[in-house]
């Protein structure tokens, strides 16, 4: 029996993960569930999946969680606070950690799981963007296996049979749907609203990654993620816009072979790969009918209309603390955009403004990265409140 902890259980990835796990009661057991602040949803998931432990990250909500579990007649132990998430991620009774917290808030628990040698199903791409070297080193030292839960990186993982890229790989191409605003000019983008930005044409996802997909920052974060996971430099990582979102990425080998993974756009496939690897598990995802789909189109990304992709590439090339600054400024910008405080085009403007304020320096320790993250957030926050970027 594989004992699984789902961190970010109430979110889009968490929900998909629990759907796959519930299909395999003979081999998968939900041992712990964690969420940010939605106690009611967490208690409902506990009633359904009967974990041993439940964690709410907001520690003021401990009494609500404890009382909610008791009122539901559950034996599940209640915990609260961010440190309790890390404890669950490294608990000896847990084999597999699904890291599906959104944003840099997921770094510590993802790092704890890697450092404790778990099988880490890593959806929290921001942890890799922020502290990729530390994450990969921690996993290597502790013997943790990381399975990426991002459709593109999961596709590459499958094409490489779970191995590092090695000398046989020439290039990797990440596919991108292009998001809801593919084909629009920057002038047209000035007017888009949060409601339009979160309405993704192909994937159903949480609000932050939906906005990242609309700005193409998501693909930029994924370039950095791919660099750390597969060890290739930025110049051997391409982005290919593929509006149908059926080819999830491609690996080109030195002998001219190109391997790709295809499937319907549903994260349960990637989660089933992570839970079962190297075996295959049923995921509930239907078969891909290429005749019914008809076409597969590809086009280059429009870097002028979507400068976030350029900014992410530049941060990858600069290295050191640059990706941490990019990520922090982007989190602040996306949150302000979702609250209606800044416009869509202010997202790349704020990221660029913040990157310009902090020259990249070596990312030699977790403390350096944490301080950089906090300083970049302060800088971006004050640029919004003083109207430097509106
Ligand atoms: P979501 O917003 O739907 O869910 C986020 C989850 O994180 C929720 O359970 C929330 O309670 C929890 N959370 C938020 N803040 C927290 C905190 N401070 N401490 C602990 N938990 C906290 O997001 P999502 O779309 O499921 O995305 C989760 C992660 O997976 C992101 O990093 C995203 O980039 C990545 N990802 C998502 C998809 C997708 O299809 N949704 C695809 C690829 C990668
Ligand atoms: Mg992706």
């Amino acid at each position: 029996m594989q004992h699984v902890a789902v961190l970010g259980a109430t979110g889009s990835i968490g929900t998909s993960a629990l759907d796959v796990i519930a299909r395999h009661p003979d081999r998968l057991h939900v041992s712990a569930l964690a969420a940010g602040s939605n106690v009611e949803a967490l208690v409902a998931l506990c009633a359904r999946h009967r974990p041993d432990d439940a964690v709410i990250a907001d520690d003021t909500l401990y009494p609500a969680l404890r009382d909610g579990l008791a009122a539901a007649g559950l034996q599940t132990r209640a915990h609260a606070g961010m440190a309790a998430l890390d404890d669950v991620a490294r608990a000896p009774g847990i084999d597999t950690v699904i890291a599906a917290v959104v944003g840099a808030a997921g770094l510590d628990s993802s790092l704890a799981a890697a450092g404790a040698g778990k099988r880490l199903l890593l959806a929290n791409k921001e942890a890799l963007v922020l502290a990729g070297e530390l994450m990969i080193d921690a996993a290597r030292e502790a013997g943790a296996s990381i399975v990426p839960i991002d459709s593109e990186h999961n596709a590459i993982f499958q094409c490489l049979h779970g191995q590092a890229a090695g000398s046989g790989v020439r290039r990797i191409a990440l596919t991108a749907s292009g998001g809801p605003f593919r084909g629009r000019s920057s002038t047209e983008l000035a007017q888009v609203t949060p409601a339009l930005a979160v309405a993704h044409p192909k994937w159903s996802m949480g609000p932050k990654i939906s906005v990242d997909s609309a700005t193409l920052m998501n693909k930029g974060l994924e370039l950095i993620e791919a660099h750390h996971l597969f060890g290739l430099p930025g110049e051997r990582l391409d982005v290919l816009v593929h509006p149908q979102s059926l080819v999830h990425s491609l690996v080109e080998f030195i002998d001219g072979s190109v391997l790709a993974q295809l499937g319907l756009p549903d994260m349960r496939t990637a989660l089933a790969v992570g839970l079962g690897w190297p075996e295959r598990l049923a995921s509930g995802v239907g078969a891909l009918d290429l005749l019914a789909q008809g076409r597969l189109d590809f086009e280059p990304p429009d870097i002028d209309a979507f400068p976030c992709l350029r900014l992410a590439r530049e941060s990858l090339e600069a290295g050191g603390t640059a990706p941490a600054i990019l990520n922090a400024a982007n989190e602040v910008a996306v949150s302000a955009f979702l609250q209606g405080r800044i416009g869509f085009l202010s997202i790349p403007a704020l990221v660029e403004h913040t990157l310009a304020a902090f020259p990249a320096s070596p990312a030699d320790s977790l403390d350096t990265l944490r301080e950089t993250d906090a300083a970049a957030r302060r800088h971006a926050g004050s640029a919004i409140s003083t109207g430097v970027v509106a």
Side-chain angles (χ1 to χ4, degrees), residues 20-353:
V20 177
I21 294 169
R23 292 168 192 273
H24 302 280
D26 51 325
R27 58 187 289 168
L28 301 172
H29 173 71
V30 177
S31 295
L33 292 175
S37 55
N38 191 340
V39 169
E40 213 175 301
L42 181 59
V43 170
L45 290 176
C46 290
R48 188 134 140 252
H49 299 280
R50 310 264 160 175
D52 306 317
D53 295 282
V55 182
I56 197 81
D58 179 343
D59 50 18
T60 64
L61 295 172
Y62 174 73
L65 177 61
R66 180 198 54 204
D67 299 347
L69 291 169
L74 300 170
Q75 302 296 312
T76 305
R77 294 180 289 260
H79 311 268
M82 293 303 284
L85 244 81
D86 309 349
D87 292 343
V88 159
R90 62 168 83 90
I94 300 287
D95 308 302
T96 298
V97 174
I98 302 186
V101 171
V102 60
L107 173 62
D108 288 357
S109 50
S110 299
L111 208 44
K118 306 297 184 192
R119 173 179 288 222
L120 174 57
L121 274 59
L122 186 60
N124 180 229
K125 67 185 85 185
E126 294 90 348
L128 276 178
V129 172
L130 179 46
E133 277 95 6
L134 298 178
M135 283 284 300
I136 299 296
D137 286 353
R140 189 180 302 122
E141 275 167 33
S145 51
I146 299 181
V147 183
I149 305 299
D150 207 344
S151 54
E152 300 75 6
H153 309 72
N154 193 269
I156 297 160
F157 174 92
Q158 293 184 57
C159 294
L160 295 174
H161 299 281
Q163 305 296 312
S167 57
V169 172
R170 191 186 281 152
R171 311 185 65 76
I172 285 177
L174 300 176
T175 51
S177 69
F181 307 134
R182 185 175 60 88
R184 298 213 196 169
S185 66
S186 351
T187 327
E188 293 166 319
L189 290 174
Q191 303 309 326
V192 307
T193 60
L196 290 172
V198 300
H200 196 278
K202 293 289 171 190
W203 295 92
S204 157
M205 310 180 287
K208 194 258 175 183
I209 184 175
S210 296
V211 175
D212 286 346
S213 300
T215 60
L216 290 201
M217 181 58 95
N218 183 49
K219 212 49 55 182
L221 299 178
E222 290 183 359
L223 281 174
I224 301 171
E225 182 186 8
H227 162 72
H228 290 298
L229 286 169
F230 307 114
L232 288 192
E235 65 264 21
R236 284 162 65 198
L237 299 168
D238 299 328
V239 172
L240 205 52
V241 173
H242 165 49
Q244 290 89 0
S245 297
L246 298 172
V247 179
H248 297 306
S249 278
L250 310 95
V251 180
E252 181 188 329
F253 295 87
I254 52 173
D255 58 8
S257 298
V258 176
L259 296 188
Q261 183 259 352
L262 287 77
L264 292 172
D266 186 322
M267 289 306 293
R268 290 178 301 172
T269 297
L271 286 154
V273 168
L275 289 164
W277 191 262
E279 290 170 36
R280 294 279 175 176
L281 293 184
S283 66
V285 178
L288 168 61
D289 180 347
L290 280 174
L291 286 179
Q293 298 285 345
R295 318 173 40 116
L296 300 176
D297 295 300
F298 301 93
E299 62 192 47
D302 181 350
I303 306 287
D304 296 328
F306 299 97
C308 283
L309 188 53
R310 170 179 58 80
L311 294 169
R313 224 183 233 294
E314 288 168 3
S315 299
L316 171 57
E317 275 152 26
T321 52
I325 297 162
L326 172 96
N327 180 66
N330 182 57
E331 286 193 28
V332 172
V334 170
S335 156
F337 170 71
L338 285 168
Q339 292 162 26
R341 294 171 59 215
I342 62 171
F344 187 75
L345 293 181
S346 300
I347 299 173
L350 191 67
V351 173
E352 188 146 30
H353 173 79

